[in-house]
Amino acid sequence: MFRRILVTTILPTVLLSGTALAEDPKIDLVGPLADYKIFVSENTQKLVADVTSFTDAVKAGDLDKAKALFGPTRMSYERIEPIAELFSDLDASIDSRADDYEKRESDPQFPGFHRIEYGLWAQNSTEGLAGVADKLLTDVKELDKRISELTFPPDKVVGGAGALMEEVAATKVSGEEDRYSHTDLFDFDANVAGSRKIVDLVRPLITEKESDFLKKVDANFATVDATLSKYREGDGYASYEKLTEPDRKVVAAAVNALAEDLSQLRGKLGLSASN
């Protein structure tokens, strides 16, 4: 059971009636932001629970179980990435890659999910990962705590719908993030879910004036879903290695089309980077 979420905000607490957007768009976003905070907090709580199970397997030396849990465990983090990235110290500790460190995989400062991923797949071992696992669990618990106390910036939330898809298109489609485990499709699924949640929460504010835009966005979501569904295996996804270069181009095209549309969402709601 999820704990009750205290939603704190500096935004006005009076909503305008009808479908017209307020002169200050932040007024209309009070409700969607509150609902999004609940969504994010639920995901961080699930992240803590899943990372606990994952790191228990790592510390117990259960290589097969740890590998099986890696992709699904990361999904809660990937759904809320626009908010998680607001805490740059934690994001670096939880989700940085070997490229960010001078000695790459052999650097003692290389932490988090991807250090464990490297050990599990590239080294095929849990040896030496107990400390990394403990730090990862500590970090996700701290993330959960900080998010419960955070006032969500409207532009970061709304802009996050497009940012999630842009990141997939720009860097993740290459397969460079989950380069050892090739569990990238789990991340893609979660990124799409996080993006869709933002769109659905603000949808009532623009349905009347932007119905054509929303139809196009929904069609693009459907295309991405259909593309990813081809690679479903059981409760998860096939290894990203199974996708050919033409397959990856199809995924990239679908994601790019969605990202391009979602980049307009902030403007549709009357927000700018300064809001």
Side-chain angles (χ1 to χ4, degrees):
M1 178 181 296
F2 293 122
R3 65 172 182 264
R4 291 187 63 188
I5 307 299
L6 176 62
V7 180
T8 59
T9 177
I10 59 172
L11 303 181
T13 57
V14 179
L15 296 178
L16 299 184
S17 61
T19 57
L21 291 176
E23 183 175 339
D24 182 351
K26 291 182 290 185
I27 295 176
D28 289 296
L29 285 168
V30 169
L33 286 174
D35 289 340
Y36 185 65
K37 182 162 189 175
I38 292 171
F39 169 78
V40 171
S41 296
E42 287 174 349
N43 272 278
T44 56
Q45 290 168 57
K46 179 169 174 51
L47 179 66
V48 170
D50 289 349
V51 168
T52 298
S53 299
F54 171 61
T55 54
D56 282 349
V58 171
K59 291 189 291 182
D62 193 334
L63 183 66
D64 290 341
K65 184 176 182 180
K67 284 183 174 181
L69 291 176
F70 180 78
T73 295
R74 284 178 48 77
M75 293 180 77
S76 296
Y77 192 82
E78 295 292 328
R79 289 188 197 102
I80 62 164
E81 209 163 8
I83 299 302
E85 289 178 347
L86 294 177
F87 304 103
S88 59
D89 60 328
L90 290 178
D91 185 52
S93 188
I94 292 169
D95 202 38
S96 60
R97 302 164 200 175
D99 314 57
D100 300 319
Y101 299 90
E102 183 180 358
K103 298 180 181 179
R104 297 178 60 83
E105 287 87 354
S106 62
D107 198 308
Q109 300 302 313
F110 179 31
F113 275 122
H114 296 300
R115 173 62 184 90
I116 296 174
E117 179 195 10
Y118 172 71
L120 297 181
W121 274 272
Q123 298 180 310
N124 202 41
S125 173
T126 61
E127 186 176 350
L129 295 178
V132 183
D134 285 337
K135 181 64 163 61
L136 176 62
L137 182 57
T138 297
D139 288 336
V140 298
K141 287 180 177 178
E142 176 64 16
L143 178 66
D144 182 42
K145 176 179 178 293
R146 290 195 201 177
I147 282 177
S148 71
E149 300 167 350
L150 177 68
T151 297
F152 281 26
D155 68 300
K156 294 295 184 183
V157 172
V158 176
L164 278 165
M165 295 298 93
E166 288 166 7
E167 185 176 4
V168 173
T171 62
K172 294 186 178 183
V173 168
S174 68
E176 61 92 15
E177 179 160 11
D178 298 328
R179 64 189 68 171
Y180 318 110
S181 64
H182 308 295
T183 54
D184 305 80
L185 291 169
F186 287 88
D187 289 6
F188 295 1
D189 180 301
N191 291 152
V192 172
S195 179
R196 192 195 322 268
K197 183 66 176 181
I198 295 168
V199 172
D200 286 345
L201 288 175
V202 302
R203 180 184 300 270
L205 302 180
I206 59 173
T207 295
E208 185 174 304
K209 290 187 175 181
E210 299 291 348
S211 60
D212 289 343
F213 168 75
L214 289 171
K215 287 177 183 177
K216 188 177 180 185
V217 166
D218 289 342
N220 284 331
F221 269 122
T223 299
V224 172
D225 288 342
T227 302
L228 294 181
S229 70
K230 296 176 183 178
Y231 309 108
R232 294 286 304 190
E233 286 189 357
D235 294 331
Y237 284 95
S239 169
Y240 200 56
E241 282 189 307
K242 292 186 178 182
L243 276 68
T244 64
E245 190 59 31
D247 289 336
R248 295 186 186 197
K249 287 181 178 179
V250 169
V251 173
V255 171
N256 267 315
L258 180 57
E260 184 176 341
D261 283 343
L262 293 179
S263 68
Q264 304 174 49
L265 188 60
R266 195 158 52 188
K268 300 287 186 185
L269 286 155
L271 290 170
S272 66
S274 61
N275 284 123

